Every structure is written in structure tokens, then in C-alpha cells.
Amino acid sequence: MNDVLERLRAEAGGSPEYELLLAAGPDALAASLTSAGLPLWARELAAYRLGLAGDRRAFESLVLLLNHRDPPRCAAAAEALAVLDDPRTARAAAALATNGLRTAYALQPVRLLTALRAPESVPALITTLSRLLSPNDPYWRVALACVEGLGALADPRARELLTRAQSHPRLAVAATTALRSLDG
């Protein structure tokens, strides 16, 4: 949490709004999410704090941040969404992870699906990984997160795909480990 707050403090560049949002209550934070003209760091701060407090008014903003091109924003959103415990989170993360046009930004949705252990998790990870097993796919880190996630979830539906992943040099060790988790 401190890393996120420090990053946002730096982005705020000394703005007094930072301290106001840091001290604001839930209603003020929720109101700021729909206020016109607020910078991205302010919206992220409000959504992050609401998410960590379990306030579901942050859901839409956090999902948008989960799909952001900036990895630290995605990671902070995933952290807050995991705490938020909103029943819509797994469907949203699955939609982001399986969107072939947004694969470059799918790492955090994949990790979130693993953490959630929701019914949508395994099918979404299988769909995403199966698309990434083509030779020379540039999104091997996302593929690796899928392999690790499938291993953590230990669902037998992933066996065939994990066996195929063993033939990819960057995935082989993790795929072998994941397959072992299916057996015991």
C-alpha cells in the first residue's frame, strides 16, 4: 500500500488535493470518482482507497485501471479488487484476460483471476494461454502467469494445455511444476 501511495504522491507533484483525498471519507472519495476534471492519479487514489475499504462504489474505476497500459496502475487496481470482494470482479478480470486485443495488458487480470479462485478463473486462463502458445509470441510473461496460475489452481482441465506448454523454453519449468500440482 505504501508503494502505491508514494507513487501517487509523486504523480500529484505537491498538489494539495493529494492530502485532501488521503484524508477524505468514503462519500467524498466516491464523489471524486465522478467529478469532472480530476487527474488520473486522483481518481486512482480515490478508487484504491475505496477498494481497500471494501466499498463497491470503486468497482468500475478499478476495472478501468486494471486495463490501463501502466503496469503499476494495473497492479494497484488488482490489489484493491482482490480486497473489494465484489462478485463482478472475476467476470471483469476474465473478460480483460481473454481479450486478444489487450493481451499486452493482461498480466494483472491473469494474476487476479488466480488469486480470486473463482469459477471463471480456470476457463479464462486456459483460453488466454492457448492463444499464447504460438511460436515467438511476444507475451510470454502473460503466458507464464497463466501457467503459474493454472498450477496454483490445480484444475485437471488444464493438463493437456500445460503439457503443450512444456515445449516452450520460457514456460517449460513452470509448466512441469504446474503439472505436478495436478497430481498431488
Side-chain angles (χ1 to χ4, degrees), residues 12 33 55 157 164 167-168 177:
L33 292 177
D55 191 319
R157 294 177 287 178
R164 285 183 29 218
S167 67
H168 291 264
T177 302

Side-chain angles (χ1 to χ4, degrees), residues 3 13-14 17 30 36 46 48 52 65 81 86 92 101 106 146 160 165 167-168:
D3 290 345
E17 279 191 358
Y48 182 74
L52 292 182
L65 291 166
L81 282 164
D86 188 298
L101 299 175
C146 288
E160 179 204 337
S167 67
H168 291 264

Side-chain angles (χ1 to χ4, degrees), residues 46-55 58 62 79-81 83-85:
Y48 182 74
R49 288 199 52 228
L50 282 171
L52 292 182
D55 191 319
L62 289 171
E79 176 188 348
L81 282 164
V83 172
L84 184 60
D85 195 31

Side-chain angles (χ1 to χ4, degrees), residues 16-160:
E17 279 191 358
Y18 177 85
E19 295 301 329
L20 290 173
L21 285 170
L22 199 57
D27 290 337
L29 292 171
S32 71
L33 292 177
T34 58
S35 295
L38 278 184
L40 183 57
W41 66 262
R43 292 187 192 287
E44 182 182 355
L45 178 58
Y48 182 74
R49 288 199 52 228
L50 282 171
L52 292 182
D55 191 319
R56 291 186 177 170
R57 293 177 286 183
F59 176 76
E60 288 83 5
S61 295
L62 289 171
V63 169
L64 288 173
L65 291 166
L66 183 63
N67 194 34
H68 198 274
R69 68 181 173 270
D70 184 21
R73 285 197 206 294
C74 297
E79 176 188 348
L81 282 164
V83 172
L84 184 60
D85 195 31
D86 188 298
R88 301 170 290 176
T89 300
R91 279 190 314 268
L96 294 174
T98 59
N99 183 339
L101 299 175
R102 304 291 293 171
T103 304
Y105 312 113
L107 183 61
Q108 291 303 326
V110 163
R111 289 180 176 162
L112 179 58
L113 283 165
T114 301
L116 293 174
R117 297 184 160 295
E120 297 89 344
S121 297
V122 170
L125 296 180
I126 287 173
T127 298
T128 302
L129 180 58
S130 64
R131 189 179 68 242
L132 300 176
L133 287 182
S134 61
N136 302 317
D137 189 277
Y139 303 113
W140 66 269
R141 285 180 180 87
V142 175
L144 181 60
C146 288
V147 168
E148 291 169 345
L150 289 167
L153 296 171
D155 190 302
R157 294 177 287 178
R159 184 175 306 280
E160 179 204 337

